[in-house]
Amino acid sequence: MKWRLPVAILSGILILWGILPFLVARIRGVGVITPVSIGVVGLTAAIFSQRTENLIQAVRTAGPAVRVPVMVLGSIVIALVLLFIAVSVVMISSAVKTAPDGPVTVIVPGAMIRDDRPSLMLSHRLDAAIDYLETHPDAVCVVSGGQGEDEAYSEAYVMQQYLVSHGVTPGRIYLEDQSTNTMENMAFTREVITQNHLPEAVVTATQEFHQYRSAAYAEKAGLQPVGTATCGTPWYLFLCYWVREFAGINRMWLLHY
């Protein structure tokens, strides 16, 4: 049973890495449930390795009524793994796209705020936008995010205050404070860009996992994604957000939202 130890180790890593976002930031959802569930299944198989092997042997020697459904299930699992790899390649490719020189509008999609301060993830997006604006003096910025029921201010307002406090000229910052998700971020930002005659060539300041879907929604809104201002995700949140974004991209492809 040479497979027992490596499977147990990998499963344990999945469980710990998967549950960290909940322990640290109370994040729930598919990004936590999926890796933890896979880890629990793998760890259970490793602990009860003899029973696992007996079950596998029983399936091999069973009739078509058992083997066919198992083969179908196995094919689905393999297809999902391959799809996950393919989508990950697409996400990585989008995250490293560099913008050409010329006037652009930097879009900062909203994320959670705490009172009058951006959350860790949002502050990273804003820092990426600041770096881009400092090196591209002809660029302007739209901060995009509405006000949640549990938020004292709109995300856009908090983002604007953060940028100004870090040296960005207020006249370079435009607010979009009605959106509640990435698709609305881009659709409503398009209205701000049109009303203020800003460049339709856009650069999105967000995490690496979020760049592909942001660009796709920007194109759908009639904008021209030309590059990225990418920031990293803390390692303990990376798996959660990557898995959640994988689900979000597939939803976008299948349901177009």
Side-chain angles (χ1 to χ4, degrees):
M1 301 180 188
K2 295 180 180 180
W3 59 270
R4 180 178 180 180
L5 182 59
V7 168
I9 292 173
L10 289 174
S11 298
I13 292 173
L14 267 181
I15 293 171
L16 292 174
W17 200 3
I19 206 170
L20 268 176
F22 175 75
L23 298 177
V24 173
R26 290 296 183 265
I27 297 173
R28 302 175 177 85
V30 66
V32 172
I33 294 171
T34 301
V36 170
S37 299
I38 294 173
V40 168
V41 171
L43 189 60
T44 301
I47 292 173
F48 301 101
S49 56
Q50 187 59 60
R51 293 186 181 181
T52 301
E53 293 192 355
N54 291 342
L55 179 60
I56 292 172
Q57 185 59 35
V59 170
R60 286 175 177 171
T61 57
V66 174
R67 283 189 287 113
V68 170
V70 171
M71 290 174 63
V72 170
L73 179 61
S75 298
I76 292 173
V77 171
I78 293 172
L80 284 173
V81 171
L82 294 176
L83 179 62
F84 183 81
I85 294 172
V87 171
S88 295
V89 171
V90 171
M91 292 162 68
I92 293 169
S93 299
S94 297
V96 298
K97 183 179 180 181
T98 55
D101 293 331
V104 302
T105 300
V106 179
I107 302 174
V108 188
M112 183 185 298
I113 60 173
R114 293 185 173 87
D115 298 325
D116 61 346
R117 296 177 294 106
S119 62
L120 176 65
M121 296 289 280
L122 185 53
S123 65
H124 286 178
R125 296 180 183 184
L126 292 165
D127 290 339
I130 291 168
D131 290 343
Y132 191 93
L133 292 169
E134 287 179 348
T135 56
H136 297 78
D138 54 351
V140 294
C141 179
V142 176
V143 287
S144 176
Q147 182 175 349
E149 294 181 357
D150 58 344
E151 295 174 338
Y153 306 94
S154 71
E155 294 167 1
Y157 173 79
V158 171
M159 288 190 279
Q160 179 197 41
Q161 297 304 302
Y162 184 94
L163 292 177
V164 171
S165 69
H166 285 74
V168 180
T169 304
R172 299 176 72 187
I173 308 170
Y174 297 80
L175 275 69
E176 181 291 295
D177 59 3
Q178 300 300 313
S179 57
T180 60
N181 55 47
T182 303
M183 183 169 66
E184 290 183 356
N185 286 149
M186 299 304 167
F188 297 167
T189 293
R190 170 58 194 263
E191 297 177 6
V192 173
I193 288 173
T194 300
Q195 291 168 3
N196 293 277
H197 308 289
L198 306 179
E200 293 187 357
V202 298
V203 165
T204 306
T206 190
Q207 278 74 20
E208 66 286 282
F209 65 83
H210 196 215
Q211 288 289 1
Y212 171 75
R213 195 157 55 97
S214 297
Y217 285 137
E219 286 186 349
K220 184 176 181 180
L223 299 171
Q224 303 166 18
V226 295
T228 62
T230 300
C231 56
T233 305
W235 69 269
Y236 54 89
L237 298 175
F238 182 84
L239 180 62
C240 169
Y241 279 105
W242 199 269
V243 171
R244 188 167 74 175
E245 190 66 13
F246 168 74
I249 289 172
N250 281 279
R251 182 193 65 193
M252 179 184 70
W253 285 348
L254 293 172
L255 303 178
H256 307 290
Y257 75 92

